[in-house]
Amino acid sequence: MTTKTKQLNRIDLIFKHEDDCKEILKKSFDRSHEEVINEMVNSGLKGRGGAGFPTGLKWKLTSEEKEKTKYVICNADEGEPGTFKDREILTRVPHKVLAGMAMCAKIIGAKEGYIYLRGEYKFLVPQLREELKKFHQIMDELNLDFVVDIFLGSGAYICGEESALFESMEGKRGEPRNKPPYPTQCGYLNKPTVINNVETLAHSYTIMKYGAKKFRELGVKDSWGSKVFSVSGDTPIPGIYELELGMSVQDFVDDFGDGDTKAVQVGGASGFLVPRKRFPKSHIGYQGKLTGVSLPTGGSMMIFNSSRSMYNVLDNYLDFFQEESCGQCTPCRVGCQQLLKGIKAVKRGDKPAAYLDKLLKLTETMRLTAKCGLGQSVANSFSSIVENFREEMIY
Amino acid sequence: MKMTNMINLSINGIAVSVEEGKTILEAAKKLHIHIPTLCYHKDLCVAGNCRVCVVEQAGVDRLVASCATPVNEGMEINTNSLKVRNCRKHIIELLLAEHNEECTKCYRNGHCELQTIAADLQITNQDFIDLVPDKQYSVDSYSPSIEKDDSKCIRCQRCVRTCAEIQSVGAIAVAHKGADMKISTFFNYSLNEVVCTNCGQCIVHCPTGALVEKSYVEQVWDAIADPEKHVVVQTAPAVRVGLGEELGFEPGTRVTSRMVSALRRLGFDSVLDTDFTADLTIMEEGTELLTRLKGALLDDNPEVSLPMATSCSPGWVKYIEHKYPQYLPNLSTCKSPQQMFGALAKTYYAKNIDVDPANIVSVSIMPCTAKKYEANRPEMKDSGYKDVDFVLTTRELAVMIKQAGIEFEQLNEENFDSIMGIGSGAGIIFGATGGVMEAALRTAYEIVTGREVPFENLEIKPVRGLAGVKEAVVPIVDVLPEWSFLEGVELKCAITNGLENAHQLMEAIDRGDRFYHFIEIMACPGGCLGGGGQPFPVDDEIRQKRMDAIYSEDLSLALRKSHENPEIVQIYKDFLEKPLSHKSHKLLHTSYVKRQPY
């Protein structure tokens, strides 16, 4: 057992009560587009939905597109198992998210924006509509021709994937598109589109208000800033926490675990499982400065203690994936079914333990060939669980 | 003029230069490097969902789908690395695990793209778990034209894209997600109960046996074997330029006289030609057009509907019944050549050879699956019997020829029987888009002016070719006295093939953007020669070759105009009296019904 050394810093930026959106927006509208983009790029902010694409670059690329019509979309299709932070952000500080959208709209030249809201968050619609009224008032006062509307999803996990989300908004079946072209060139209605996670947009507001420099006082190189985490599982203090990026899983567990933590699932079902022996060397953040394993995440932290069967955990994830795969591409559609049936067969003894190795190779094929992030990332949880808890899969 | 940028890349170490915007797959094709594909089809938009065509790009960890990835300057591609081979093999194994592998029981055995790739890759030790037993797959065999077997579906969505993009019908679409994802119809109804036009384009675009025509081969063998029955067979014009492909000939080979000889050897009692009734259609439909024009131009009759639309294509007829029922009065009342033939086989022909029509079995060989549906329409019994008993596709005829052990290439060249066995070149070209229009103009122009159409060799080039929508304006001058109301009229015509083009044309007409007197619409790309009953595979290159064959067959005949066909002259003299006579109306014309739009 490691002894508890220190408590992680609790950050209070995202949820801080601030009622100055109009002033901050006015300030940002007065600056040149180049200045604002530089501020965003310098902040080092990376997409908080989990994929970690540099936000400033995304805005820059879209602003350079020649098309007249462009869109800003807030991806609020929060469906990753174990995350619930966007719901909280939209409940408590929706004005910051909208401010982020307005800033982006001004820079790229978008006149329309949408919040793609997860179907299960329908209950948020009335309060968001109220917030939109206030927001549109501010837009009028600031003379920005930008209108935001809400698009309600229908409960498919895959629609959180940006190109599937566009398809869904266009009234089609939510299936990911081929890339390239990327959304910055060809997004919603085939127009250049910035699509950002809820939290990313709220952070944009923070960066505009406090500056890139201040933002970089938090976190570590290549993983600057803070991040909102959804903490669940075997913890005495589940909930939403804003923490600095770059922390080790060990520090996280010391703070949030119940003293008997066996493993932490970082980034939900599509993320990695970190077993106890890897806690010290695994860090939360993006590839780069961090030594050991760096784990980007949308913010889901699921803590498992020794009472949990990792077989059951994996079975649960795979059941989720084989249902939530859109079904269009072969590796994901059939692969997920094979993985689920495969571990069941090994558990029952119908297939030898060595079959797990064939399944591991299959997940590698899925990672290499699936059409979108869903199928590509099934390998993450599968390999990290099977490799670290092989005996639990067999016996 | 816009210069196209050339992009340089290398594939398997070989340098290649292709136009900007081309895909890796197209670049590889240029180098004669074969990359297997399943969801890709030249006729369709790129889906990139089967992932069989993945290749390795230097500097990129994940593999890329070669069908969906545009080339970049300096790109280095490997189509045969260890990584690619392992992944490709896995993907085929996964498809096989989900697929009903009873190949020997499958209609597509030997013609299946999945089977071919599995054989090429030598997938002999597939040990993923067989998913078929848990799937509760079903077969939809209620349609008289198309059978859909979900257990053979690989979810490539070629059929879905075909139905939506080429045909603008949308009868089949993707339903459910994940493990339950399947190709389905409106509320999973049978194809028989939805907007499906039975065109069969989904069949010719399906890589496996998931979509096939409903086969009537066994029923036809039974009829042939029955000594009581007189089995008469008619063959559509497009069959003779497609059949060869199934029997070892190059696309575009004309096999008319060999086909006649093969049909005789199969045991049909009489081998006749749908071209005869194609000529008859021209007489009836041409006269109908002139009657409508008289009503509109001379009598100012507001009840006359123009443009008049052709009604030879049963896929198009069902499409308009579903999607544009308000335009049903515009549809020519003429039956298709197949159904005219059927009605005459059990009346005029039966009387002529003195056989009880109850003992006649009327079979037709068609490039089409919608013809199976058409023959089963309840109104198609004007002879007092079912006018056409069984419809076989070009592919089914090839099956029968193989079953009978006939060495097709060794056959003597033989001629059709008579009566109802003579067709003109005008009848032949019914098989190509624009052909009905051309044939009608050859006859109608001559009726009205007493002169041949003013085109060299009677070849009305503006109405020919694979273009989606074609337009022609024919000025009518120096008419015969009884047609004086047509003097100076410019006859406006439009021709489309593929129902998406029909959809565009109907929308333009509906908006009032366009006015025509006469429109020819064929449900399938290229017309009947690209029909849903024609051999696999198909693309524009093959359709063009079949089209060239059709026009060369027309040119090779002495008889090129329907009204000069001696058997046509004879049937009007002996039986029908004149076009649009009472008897014609009873036997050769029909009516249509409005259908629901989904």
Side-chain angles (χ1 to χ4, degrees), chain A residues 325 337 358 365 367 369 371, chain B residues 47 51 61 90 127 135 178:
Chain A
S325 160
Q337 297 174 64
K358 180 162 174 115
T365 293
R367 188 182 75 76
T369 64
K371 186 167 175 178
Chain B
R51 316 307 284 177
D61 178 35
H90 259 156
D127 64 348
K135 288 283 186 185

Side-chain angles (χ1 to χ4, degrees), chain B residues 502-547:
Chain B
H503 165 74
Q504 297 297 344
L505 182 74
M506 291 308 288
E507 288 297 310
I509 290 170
D510 198 48
R511 283 194 306 268
D513 292 355
R514 282 279 188 276
F515 173 79
Y516 303 105
H517 296 101
F518 187 29
I519 55 176
E520 181 211 291
I521 300 186
M522 293 294 158
C524 291
C528 305
L529 57 88
Q534 290 283 65
F536 312 110
V538 73
D539 58 28
D540 268 346
E541 205 179 311
I542 293 172
R543 281 187 279 261
Q544 185 62 52
K545 286 180 179 164
R546 292 177 189 162
M547 185 176 278

Side-chain angles (χ1 to χ4, degrees), chain A residues 141-381:
Chain A
E141 288 163 18
L142 295 178
N143 249 329
L144 184 70
D145 180 11
F146 181 58
V147 184
V148 175
D149 200 358
I150 301 168
F151 189 99
L152 204 60
S154 302
Y157 172 72
I158 190 59
C159 288
E161 198 279 339
E162 53 194 23
S163 63
L165 184 149
F166 300 145
E167 292 283 302
S168 160
M169 283 183 69
E170 291 172 11
K172 298 181 229 156
R173 181 180 160 83
E175 286 185 349
R177 299 174 180 170
N178 291 302
K179 293 175 190 174
Y182 295 96
T184 53
Q185 304 161 279
C186 185
Y188 175 50
L189 298 175
N190 294 331
K191 301 293 181 192
T193 305
V194 165
I195 176 162
N196 281 143
N197 172 257
V198 172
E199 186 189 344
T200 313
L201 289 162
H203 275 300
S204 313
Y205 157 85
T206 307
I207 291 164
M208 263 323 110
K209 178 169 179 180
Y210 299 101
K213 195 159 167 259
K214 177 102 176 159
F215 185 77
R216 288 166 70 124
E217 284 171 12
L218 299 173
V220 296
K221 188 170 182 298
D222 296 322
S223 302
W224 297 117
S226 58
K227 164 105 195 71
V228 183
F229 290 89
S230 314
V231 182
S232 65
D234 296 314
T235 167
I237 46 169
I240 308 271
Y241 297 88
E242 186 175 353
L243 304 167
E244 278 183 78
L245 284 174
M247 65 181 170
S248 74
V249 176
Q250 184 68 60
D251 289 343
F252 173 80
V253 168
D254 290 346
D255 212 341
F256 291 89
D258 64 358
D260 183 26
T261 303
K262 172 178 173 180
V264 180
Q265 180 77 24
V266 179
S270 65
F272 289 89
L273 183 99
V274 184
R276 187 184 289 150
K277 64 183 178 203
R278 300 255 166 85
F279 287 169
K281 291 221 161 148
S282 302
H283 294 80
I284 306 302
Y286 309 101
Q287 291 285 340
K289 169 101 187 328
L290 293 169
T291 54
V293 182
S294 54
L295 301 162
T297 168
S300 161
M301 303 292 274
M302 287 189 277
I303 304 175
F304 300 110
N305 70 17
S306 62
S307 73
R308 306 292 166 187
S309 150
M310 296 322 291
Y311 172 84
N312 286 347
V313 169
L314 182 58
D315 185 293
N316 179 286
Y317 291 168
L318 293 172
D319 198 30
F320 173 80
F321 283 130
Q322 66 127 21
E323 186 175 328
E324 291 299 340
S325 160
C326 77
Q328 90 167 291
C329 85
T330 311
C332 181
R333 179 187 69 248
V334 196
C336 290
Q337 297 174 64
Q338 287 296 339
L339 295 177
L340 179 62
K341 287 195 187 290
I343 64 162
K344 284 182 193 294
V346 170
K347 193 74 170 175
R348 278 198 310 270
D350 290 348
K351 289 274 187 191
Y355 191 67
L356 290 172
D357 301 320
K358 180 162 174 115
L359 295 180
L360 282 168
K361 281 184 191 151
L362 173 60
T363 60
E364 178 65 1
T365 293
M366 291 168 71
R367 188 182 75 76
L368 291 170
T369 64
K371 186 167 175 178
C372 82
L374 193 165
Q376 291 160 6
S377 61
V378 173
N380 299 348
S381 52

Side-chain angles (χ1 to χ4, degrees), chain B residues 21-94:
Chain B
K22 295 274 179 201
T23 61
I24 298 171
L25 183 68
E26 288 164 320
K29 190 156 256 164
K30 197 170 171 186
L31 289 176
H32 301 287
I33 292 171
H34 176 68
I35 300 174
T37 55
L38 281 171
C39 71
Y40 173 82
H41 195 289
K42 269 189 194 168
D43 285 350
L44 304 170
C45 78
V46 167
N49 61 31
C50 76
R51 316 307 284 177
V52 173
C53 73
V54 287
V55 295
E56 189 167 352
Q57 182 184 350
V60 178
D61 178 35
R62 290 199 184 98
L63 302 183
V64 297
S66 59
C67 71
T69 309
V71 293
N72 275 327
E73 188 63 33
M75 211 177 212
E76 290 171 40
I77 299 295
N78 193 332
T79 69
N80 190 31
S81 67
L82 187 62
K83 207 162 154 183
V84 170
R85 276 202 307 276
N86 286 341
C87 285
R88 188 173 288 156
K89 190 156 170 285
H90 259 156
I91 289 166
I92 296 297
E93 285 177 356
L94 290 175

Side-chain angles (χ1 to χ4, degrees), chain B residues 311-379:
Chain B
S311 56
C312 307
S313 167
W316 152 243
V317 169
K318 188 145 184 275
Y319 181 81
I320 189 174
E321 287 179 328
H322 281 292
K323 303 247 178 171
Y324 296 96
Q326 70 274 29
Y327 283 98
L328 286 177
N330 294 63
L331 208 50
S332 161
T333 58
C334 288
K335 287 181 184 172
S336 72
Q338 164 178 282
Q339 292 307 134
M340 286 195 183
F341 192 102
L344 293 173
K346 296 189 181 181
T347 52
Y348 173 65
Y349 174 83
K351 207 171 129 200
N352 199 280
I353 61 161
D354 198 19
V355 172
D356 179 359
N359 284 332
I360 288 186
V361 176
S362 164
V363 176
S364 70
I365 315 291
M366 293 285 144
C368 181
T369 50
K371 290 282 173 198
K372 293 173 187 272
Y373 167 82
E374 186 186 39
N376 281 294
R377 286 179 73 119
E379 61 271 25

